[in-house]
């Protein structure tokens, strides 16, 4: 018997949100996944999300958020902008979409309230903080308060990965029985290559480093 009923997972089809989906499936009786179409360069990301949800029999919703791309063109949505290799010393990386998490979580909250659900799960992490201000715990807590006030509702934004790094995220997926799904069916690579990816973009480097440390620790 699980202790909670229903939750909505913000689901990109990447490593972090898939690990959150696994976590939610263990904690809740029913889980909904919400993905966003915001003109990602690699629309395959949405295909991965769809396939993972089908694999687990999870109800999946894709929301159209193309407006955010018109307002804030960035390297994740525009082929003519090269992704920053490393985080710049000043400001945010050009893969950062201003306000993305705030906008996405707000829409997920509206969706959740319509369904009578309070618990919203997102895979943001402050540990692997890549310079994205809206991945920080202080932002999530602030938005939680704001959403509750805005909709007069007791939302609970839950962040299972907030204080763990990529190595521990691999460990969590493994313990939840989803190591192979995360390794093979997710897409985190900025160059749009599934699974282990291109190996060279900032996202692949982070993922690979965590995976290698975890496998070494697990003794494989
Ligand atoms: Zn890559």
């Amino acid at each position: 018997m699980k202790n909670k009923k229903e939750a909505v997972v913000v689901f990109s089809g990447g490593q972090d949100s898939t690990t959150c989906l696994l976590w939610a499936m263990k904690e809740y009786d029913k889980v909904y996944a919400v993905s966003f179409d915001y003109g990602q360069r690699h629309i395959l990301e949405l295909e991965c999300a769809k396939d993972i949800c089908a694999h687990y029999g999870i109800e999946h919703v894709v929301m159209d958020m193309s407006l955010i791309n018109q307002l804030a063109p960035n390297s994740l949505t525009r082929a003519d902008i090269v992704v920053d290799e490393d985080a710049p010393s000043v400001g945010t990386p050009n893969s950062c979409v201003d306000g993305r998490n705030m906008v996405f979580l707000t829409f997920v909250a509206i969706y959740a309230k319509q369904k009578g659900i309070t618990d919203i799960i997102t895979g943001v992490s402050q540990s692997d903080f890549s310079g994205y201000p809206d991945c920080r715990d202080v932002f999530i807590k602030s938005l939680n308060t704001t959403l509750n006030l805005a909709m007069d509702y007791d939302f609970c934004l839950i962040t299972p990965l907030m204080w763990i790094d990529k190595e521990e995220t691999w460990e969590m997926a493994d313990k939840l029985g989803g190591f192979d799904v995360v390794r093979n069916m997710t897409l985190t690579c900025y160059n749009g290559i599934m699974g282990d990816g291109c190996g060279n973009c900032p996202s692949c480097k982070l993922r690979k480093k965590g995976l290698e440390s975890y496998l070494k620790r697990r003794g494989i």
Side-chain angles (χ1 to χ4, degrees), residues 36-132:
F36 298 96
D37 183 349
Y38 61 103
Q40 298 93 317
R41 262 209 262 175
H42 305 295
I43 204 71
L44 180 63
E45 193 178 289
L46 286 175
E47 292 300 317
C48 288
K50 210 181 287 175
D51 289 348
I52 295 164
C53 287
H55 179 78
Y56 285 119
I58 299 284
E59 202 168 314
H60 186 218
V61 177
V62 179
M63 292 186 189
D64 178 8
M65 290 283 149
S66 47
L67 185 61
I68 202 165
N69 185 34
Q70 291 170 34
L71 291 172
N74 69 93
S75 64
L76 293 188
T77 55
R78 287 260 301 266
D80 55 333
I81 304 177
V82 179
V83 178
D84 280 339
E85 277 290 315
D86 298 297
S89 52
V90 179
T92 52
N94 69 2
S95 52
C96 179
V97 183
D98 273 333
R100 181 173 56 174
N101 277 343
M102 184 173 78
V103 172
F104 287 3
L105 283 165
T106 301
F107 276 82
V108 169
I110 295 167
Y111 170 82
K113 189 182 175 190
Q114 289 297 316
K115 289 192 163 296
I117 297 170
T118 56
D119 291 11
I120 296 168
I121 296 153
T122 171
V124 294
S125 170
Q126 189 158 325
S127 305
D128 277 332
F129 177 56
S130 306
Y132 297 173

Side-chain angles (χ1 to χ4, degrees), residues 156-193:
C156 188
L157 299 185
I158 300 165
T159 55
L161 312 182
M162 183 59 79
W163 306 111
I164 68 173
D165 62 16
K166 279 282 181 283
E167 180 184 340
E168 293 162 309
T169 305
W170 279 110
E171 181 177 14
M172 186 190 273
D174 198 12
K175 287 187 172 155
L176 291 164
F179 181 85
D180 290 337
V181 166
V182 172
R183 182 150 190 196
N184 302 318
M185 293 181 75
T186 62
L187 188 143
T188 37
C189 173
Y190 289 157
N191 290 312
I193 300 167

